[in-house]
Amino acid sequence: MAPSSEPAALQALRRALQGEPADPVVLVQSLVHEELVEEGTALVRAERRTADGTWVAQLTALLLPLAAKAMAKREAGWQLDSRRAAVRLGYAKEGQALDFDEGDVHAILLEAFRLEGLRPALDLGKRPRPSLRLELPLPEGAGGLAEWAEVVFRPEPIEPPEALLERLNGRLPEGLRIHRWDPHPSYASPVGELAEASRWRWACPAELADGARRRCAEFLYAESWLWEKGGRVEGRKQVKQLDLRPLVLDLRWEGDILFSMTRASSSEAGNPLKIHAAVLGLEPAALHGLLRLSLDLRPDPRLAQAERFEPKLKNMYEDAVLLGGGSNITLVDDDDDEPLRLG
């Protein structure tokens, strides 16, 4: 496997957290120089239990105020940050990757980004996390050929998508592959809000086929199909009844292969293994290998109303005119001790 392309400052911090002697002041200076203070703080938080406590405390005392300042600066310029790039990744999860759940895929993608030197932007949470979200994620045991992940990079990768996909796929385990790299405006709707239906395929074992076909016929004939689903009602764990009939839009057989379509826009869409199992009268584990073939998406209304969502540049233009007109304006940079006077 290719060597890591993670920024040098973070690689040095990782080695220090693993026991390599290092001066905390030098580490912090390198993180500041590479604009990685927040990422370094998150790394220390995640790995601090494996390092010397006194050393970590000293490092943390240096990092925390710098991280708070960096976050405040990032929040102030979030809407106008031209270095951010929103990308929609299309990927497949099949074969040996079927046993990965949502958390596994999320962690694997972040690790691939890290090793290839790609920096997901941090969100605006209290403890900032990388801006990576799996849309309609699949549970362990289910796969898909048209899955989606949405990520925001900062800065924008400069390589062509083809080269990036080749490098990233070289980091991914067997059965997990990225096949699309679609940049999109930061104001675009998430895939989860656009999804209308999922189309599935399941190869039914021969010994289960007769019973499964019979249950499908009963389901299609029924006006309702109640399923007891565990969940929360008014904050308390309870069993509630869910009618699956409106959620399953199509069931058809080609030999022992079941093709189905389920509604994706409903908040009750839930775990596809459990929904199919409830229809077929099987345990969810028997549906191992259920594969999403495609996802039907409606057009994104936000893309047709770009003027409502794009940052307004009018005030920026007016400021530029003032600066060019000889006005006495003082600019103060938080990182400088002395103000810069114009005019």
Side-chain angles (χ1 to χ4, degrees):
M1 183 175 290
S4 173
S5 296
E6 184 179 29
L10 289 177
Q11 290 196 50
L13 178 57
R14 287 183 188 278
R15 293 193 299 269
L17 288 167
Q18 294 167 4
E20 181 177 296
D23 184 343
V25 174
V26 174
L27 288 174
V28 171
Q29 288 174 341
S30 65
L31 291 170
V32 171
H33 177 71
E34 296 188 36
E35 297 184 351
L36 290 167
V37 169
E38 288 187 272
E39 288 85 347
T41 303
L43 178 58
V44 172
R45 185 183 300 120
E47 304 292 338
R48 64 184 183 276
R49 293 181 181 83
T50 62
D52 176 74
T54 303
W55 183 86
V56 167
Q58 183 181 359
L59 180 64
T60 302
L62 295 171
L63 280 174
L64 286 181
L66 295 174
K69 183 179 179 180
M71 182 176 180
K73 185 176 181 180
R74 182 166 55 85
E75 288 178 334
W78 179 262
Q79 293 297 331
L80 299 177
D81 185 356
S82 61
R83 292 185 292 176
R84 288 190 296 129
V87 177
R88 193 168 284 158
L89 300 180
Y91 69 95
K93 174 197 171 195
E94 54 185 332
Q96 295 183 30
L98 285 174
D99 291 331
F100 295 146
D101 62 16
E102 176 185 0
D104 295 329
V105 174
H106 191 275
I108 289 169
L109 290 177
L110 282 180
E111 181 71 357
F113 297 154
R114 179 183 75 81
L115 292 173
E116 287 304 326
L118 300 178
R119 289 176 54 189
L122 299 177
D123 62 24
L124 299 178
K126 184 177 180 181
R127 288 191 172 182
R129 299 176 181 275
S131 295
L132 171 65
R133 181 177 64 248
L134 306 186
E135 294 292 342
L136 301 180
L138 294 168
E140 176 185 347
L145 303 180
E147 304 309 299
W148 292 100
E150 297 192 338
V151 58
V152 179
F153 290 109
R154 184 183 186 277
E156 180 178 3
I158 60 175
E159 290 185 72
E162 296 78 11
L164 289 169
L165 292 185
E166 182 178 359
R167 285 171 48 197
L168 287 170
N169 284 329
R171 303 284 188 182
L172 299 181
E174 188 70 27
L176 198 62
R177 287 293 177 271
I178 304 172
H179 52 74
R180 291 188 64 173
W181 179 287
D182 293 343
H184 62 86
S186 59
Y187 55 81
S189 301
V191 168
E193 294 181 9
L194 304 175
E196 294 187 326
S198 295
R199 299 175 184 271
W200 307 91
R201 182 184 71 202
W202 178 57
C204 180
E207 66 273 14
L208 301 177
D210 288 343
R213 285 197 190 89
R214 184 170 59 253
R215 290 273 297 199
C216 282
E218 294 172 359
F219 179 87
L220 293 173
Y221 182 77
E223 293 185 359
S224 64
W225 194 273
L226 298 181
W227 170 50
E228 290 190 348
K229 175 187 177 184
R232 289 187 175 274
V233 178
E234 296 181 353
R236 300 176 60 186
K237 279 189 176 182
Q238 296 186 25
V239 174
K240 57 180 180 179
Q241 287 193 329
L242 175 65
D243 186 3
L244 296 182
R245 195 64 187 84
L247 295 182
V248 181
L249 306 175
D250 185 38
L251 292 170
R252 59 184 176 84
W253 291 88
E254 293 185 8
D256 287 344
I257 306 295
L258 174 65
F259 292 89
S260 61
M261 181 166 61
T262 59
R263 193 180 303 278
S265 57
S266 171
S267 60
E268 299 289 355
N271 186 318
L273 294 175
K274 292 182 178 180
I275 289 176
H276 282 81
V279 171
L280 300 175
L282 301 170
E283 291 297 320
L287 274 291
H288 189 278
L290 177 69
L291 192 70
R292 177 155 46 201
L293 300 177
S294 63
L295 190 62
D296 293 355
L297 303 176
R298 63 184 176 88
D300 188 347
R302 291 188 180 183
L303 297 183
Q305 305 176 56
E307 69 282 353
R308 293 182 54 192
F309 299 97
E310 290 177 334
K312 303 299 183 183
L313 301 181
K314 181 175 181 293
N315 292 337
M316 295 175 62
Y317 172 76
E318 291 175 346
D319 291 344
V321 171
L322 287 172
L323 289 172
S327 300
N328 292 323
I329 298 175
T330 300
L331 300 181
V332 179
D333 189 331
D334 289 340
D335 296 328
D336 294 331
D337 294 327
E338 295 295 330
L340 174 64
R341 300 187 182 279
L342 303 179

